[in-house]
């Protein structure tokens, strides 16, 4: 069947030429090998997972065979990196190889990451390493299962090539999906070049496909981007996720979590947690994420300033705080099972977070273990047993008339801790063994369930894996 039955539309290519470069993939590596593929992501494309066994599938997801009815392209965008205008960036190692319309009417980008150089590669090699590919593959699926808007991952291919980073590493290609990979940086690109018309063309393109209720309503649309971004970051904060590189070129116009690099889930709760070793100033520390999201939305507002009156932009941007605060507050209440608003609730929530921060209690387990034996929860607070006991007693009194039976569907048992991802990576890289990857992948796709025999992967890092460093190098 041609193109595996995908219903492809050359949608992005309807934009003017200066939005992208049409080009085939480089055909990286002589004999690409499929490492893992994701039936849930295939379902988003109405793709039968049996195609994973078709030799043409690995050819397509490695960039060795183009889909017949789509012309691959690399997008151009710009952005602010670490608060500084970086000028032109673009898909330096990503290539859009398809846009598929599913039966529900949704359009999904199919993008390869690591399939070779493009005109936007600048000084870099267009490659991706296995380590970062596995990290993005697992984390995007973990986030989706946690109910957080995100790009998805369809497949990992080993290219067989060796790629140079700090050390030589095995190369890989990730196939990722998102309804769109358009970033704040796309808009900044044309604004900073003085191409006002192109900003409008792009906004209208995005609205027509992804915000069809808002055609012609640029201000309302910007307000919706503010809302989605605020909600997404509130979800990050509630689950304990740090993105690591919130540059404007990594911010999705649809409010999706995209471009997984040196991200980290909190182990021990530290509000100042910096997951990205390269981020020496802590600009993208855990606690800073809402402020940075707001900063990025302001940069987007600037880029839209020829389209929307300044006062309106300011007004819409000002809704960020209410959307963020409201969502975060609701989520934290849900995590503790507090349905009725009672005086003293905020103090109860704040008291727990303060105790967790001071004792460096495990973030995920501090919520998850509330449903188990008291002793298992108290053990998370080490020396501060008396204080923890005090808080727990107040909590038990407060929740006497609450129904806590649903808490295990709100507080995950499994998040993608760095050490867990690293375990999968080492088995693939050192032993050519994909079993652990598959096992962890399953845990991430149902993070609220208890999985017999896999309790170890719900635990904080073992002593020998406490100091893993992740950086921008990928
Ligand atoms: P990131 O911070 O990973 O989102 O990447 C920032 C910019 O650098 C984007 O334009 C990427 O396409 C580009 N880039 C990152 N790594 C590579 C690479 N190995 N080869 C080519 N371009 C890259
Ligand atoms: Mg990026």
């Amino acid at each position: 069947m041609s193109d595996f039955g995908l219903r492809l539309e050359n949608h992005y290519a309807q934009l003017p030429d200066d939005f992208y470069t049409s080009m085939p993939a480089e055909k990286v590596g002589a004999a690409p090998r499929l490492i893992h593929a994701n039936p849930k992501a295939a379902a988003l494309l109405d793709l039968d997972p049996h195609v994973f066994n078709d030799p043409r599938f690995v050819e397509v997801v490695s960039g060795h065979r183009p889909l017949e009815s789509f012309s691959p392209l690399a997008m151009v965008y710009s952005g602010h990196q670490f608060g500084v205008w970086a000028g032109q960036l673009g898909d330096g190692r990503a290539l859009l190889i398809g846009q598929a319309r599913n039966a529900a009417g949704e359009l999904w980008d199919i993008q390869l990451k690591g399939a070779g150089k493009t005109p936007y590669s600048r000084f870099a090699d267009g490659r991706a390493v296995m380590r970062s590919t596995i990290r993005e593959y697992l984390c995007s699926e973990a986030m989706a299962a946690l109910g957080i808007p995100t790009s998805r991952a369809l497949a990992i291919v080993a290219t067989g090539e060796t790629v140079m980073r700090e050390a030589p590493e095995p190369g890989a290609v990730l196939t990722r999906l998102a309804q769109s990979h358009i970033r704040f940086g796309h808009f900044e690109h044309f604004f900073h070049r003085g191409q006002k018309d192109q900003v409008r063309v792009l906004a209208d393109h995005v609205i027509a496909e992804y915000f069809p209720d808002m055609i012609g309503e640029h201000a309302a649309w910007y307000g919706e981007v503010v809302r989605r971004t605020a909600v997404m970051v509130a979800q990050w904060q509630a689950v304990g996720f740090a993105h690591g590189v919130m540059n404007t070129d990594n911010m999705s116009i649809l409010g999706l979590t995209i471009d997984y690099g040196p991200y980290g889930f909190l182990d021990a709760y530290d509000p100042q947690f910096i997951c990205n070793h390269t981020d020496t100033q802590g600009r993208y520390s855990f606690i800073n994420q809402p402020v940075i999201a707001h900063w990025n939305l302001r940069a987007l507002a600037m880029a839209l300033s020829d389209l929307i009156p300044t006062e309106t932009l300011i007004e819409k941007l000002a809704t960020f705080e209410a959307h963020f605060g409201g969502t975060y507050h609701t989520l934290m209440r849900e995590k503790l099972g507090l349905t009725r608003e009672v005086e003293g609730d905020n103090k109860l929530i704040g008291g727990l977070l303060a105790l967790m921060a001071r004792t460096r209690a495990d973030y995920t387990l501090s919520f998850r273990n509330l449903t188990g034996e008291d002793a298992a929860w108290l053990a998370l607070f080490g020396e501060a047993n008396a204080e923890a006991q005090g808080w727990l007693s107040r909590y038990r009194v407060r929740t006497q008339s609450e129904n806590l039976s649903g808490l295990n569907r709100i507080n995950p048992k499994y998040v993608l801790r760095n050490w867990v991802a690293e375990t999968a990576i080492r088995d693939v890289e050192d032993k050519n063994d994909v079993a652990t990857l598959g096992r962890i992948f399953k845990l991430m796709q149902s993070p609220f369930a208890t999985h017999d025999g896999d309790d170890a992967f719900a635990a904080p890092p073992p002593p020998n894996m406490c100091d893993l460093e992740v950086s921008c190098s990928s």
Side-chain angles (χ1 to χ4, degrees):
M1 207 189 317
S2 117
D3 292 343
F4 310 114
L6 292 169
R7 291 191 295 158
L8 296 169
E9 293 179 16
N10 284 281
H11 187 261
Y12 193 83
Q14 288 162 16
L15 288 164
D17 287 351
D18 49 357
F19 281 80
Y20 60 90
T21 301
S22 285
M23 56 173 293
E26 198 183 305
K27 298 193 179 171
V28 168
R33 206 160 46 83
L34 189 64
I35 297 293
H36 211 266
N38 177 5
K40 286 192 179 169
L44 299 171
L45 307 175
D46 299 332
L47 192 62
D48 182 337
H50 285 110
V51 303
F52 299 162
N53 305 318
D54 183 330
R56 288 171 306 177
F57 180 75
V58 64
E59 290 179 337
V60 168
V61 294
S62 61
H64 283 239
R65 172 197 284 265
L67 292 167
E68 281 167 24
S69 29
F70 195 91
S71 307
L73 62 89
M75 300 177 180
V76 68
Y77 50 82
S78 294
H80 283 86
Q81 298 187 315
F82 290 88
V84 177
W85 177 243
Q88 183 186 304
L89 304 163
D91 289 335
R93 55 168 164 178
L95 198 67
L96 187 66
I97 61 153
Q99 290 184 288
R101 181 80 63 188
N102 67 16
E106 297 163 346
L107 187 66
W108 283 88
D109 281 11
I110 309 170
Q111 201 183 61
L112 303 184
K113 184 169 177 181
K117 287 191 193 180
T118 75
Y120 313 114
S121 301
R122 298 177 293 163
F123 46 84
D125 60 6
R127 272 38 178 190
V129 297
M130 182 60 78
R131 164 178 58 87
S132 60
T133 301
I134 290 176
R135 282 173 54 84
E136 177 155 356
Y137 184 81
L138 289 174
C139 197
S140 54
E141 290 308 298
M143 296 290 267
L146 292 166
I148 302 176
T150 177
S151 60
R152 302 295 298 270
L154 179 66
I156 299 179
V157 164
T159 62
E161 266 193 353
T162 299
V163 174
M164 265 322 284
R165 294 293 180 261
E166 282 79 7
E169 297 192 42
V173 176
L174 175 74
T175 306
R176 63 182 179 182
L177 311 178
Q179 290 208 33
S180 171
H181 288 87
I182 296 176
R183 301 141 193 276
F184 291 8
H186 278 76
F187 293 88
E188 292 178 283
H189 180 72
F190 293 104
F191 174 75
H192 285 266
R193 292 185 161 201
Q195 294 179 278
K196 286 185 195 179
D197 292 349
Q198 303 299 53
V199 176
R200 179 181 297 274
V201 165
L202 183 60
D204 289 340
H205 171 88
V206 166
I207 294 171
E209 180 60 38
Y210 307 104
F211 302 82
D213 301 344
M214 296 180 168
I215 289 174
E217 298 175 38
H218 294 130
W221 163 68
Y222 174 70
E224 175 61 8
V225 177
V226 171
R227 189 192 67 80
R228 288 193 192 189
T229 306
V231 168
M232 171 188 75
V233 175
Q235 289 181 286
W236 291 358
Q237 301 308 111
V239 82
F241 174 81
H243 179 281
V245 202
M246 290 176 71
N247 293 333
T248 56
D249 53 295
N250 291 337
M251 297 294 292
S252 146
I253 200 68
L254 302 186
L256 308 172
T257 314
I258 55 167
D259 281 19
Y260 292 86
Y263 66 81
F265 279 91
L266 296 170
D267 292 308
Y269 180 46
D270 172 8
Q272 313 296 333
F273 173 61
I274 303 167
C275 58
N276 178 0
H277 191 63
T278 319
D279 181 13
T280 47
Q281 305 289 313
R283 177 179 172 86
Y284 299 138
S285 70
F286 178 71
I287 194 87
N288 271 2
Q289 296 191 117
V291 170
I292 294 294
H294 183 274
W295 193 98
N296 290 340
L297 284 161
R298 192 170 172 280
L300 176 63
M302 191 70 199
L304 300 176
S305 56
D306 292 314
L307 215 56
I308 302 168
T310 306
E311 316 78 71
T312 313
L313 286 167
I314 292 173
E315 197 183 292
K316 298 289 181 194
L317 182 58
T319 65
F320 178 87
E321 210 174 315
H323 288 307
F324 172 78
T327 307
Y328 181 70
H329 184 73
T330 303
L331 292 173
M332 295 312 282
R333 293 184 58 85
E334 282 175 9
K335 288 177 81 65
L336 294 178
L338 310 177
T339 50
R340 299 169 295 108
E341 292 254 3
V342 170
E343 206 186 315
D345 280 355
N346 287 349
K347 209 171 145 207
L348 191 72
I349 298 169
L352 175 60
L353 288 171
L355 178 65
M356 287 162 59
R358 204 157 34 74
T359 57
R360 295 284 188 263
D362 186 82
Y363 188 85
T364 303
L365 296 181
S366 291
F367 294 98
R368 178 72 181 196
N369 286 4
L370 283 170
T371 51
E373 299 283 317
D374 282 4
W377 186 82
L378 289 166
L380 299 169
F381 299 89
E383 305 279 285
N385 191 278
E387 251 175 288
Q389 184 70 69
W391 186 88
L392 190 60
S393 309
R394 290 195 291 284
Y395 176 67
R396 294 282 182 238
V397 171
R398 166 62 184 84
T399 51
Q400 247 161 14
S401 58
E402 296 278 8
N403 177 1
L404 301 183
S405 64
L407 276 195
N408 282 354
R409 289 192 296 276
I410 291 170
N411 297 318
K413 175 168 179 176
Y414 297 97
V415 293
L416 189 63
R417 298 171 187 271
N418 269 348
W419 81 266
V420 173
E422 187 65 22
T423 306
I425 293 165
R426 286 185 189 171
D427 275 11
V428 171
E429 288 189 349
D430 303 346
K431 302 187 211 151
N432 206 3
D433 179 354
V434 298
T436 308
L437 171 65
R439 197 165 143 198
I440 292 169
F441 179 75
K442 278 208 181 103
L443 301 179
M444 294 306 135
Q445 286 198 330
S446 56
F448 301 103
T450 46
H451 295 265
D452 287 342
D454 277 329
D455 281 356
F457 290 126
N464 61 335
M465 289 180 98
C466 271
D467 299 321
L468 300 171
E469 276 176 5
V470 286
S471 70
C472 278
S473 158
S474 59

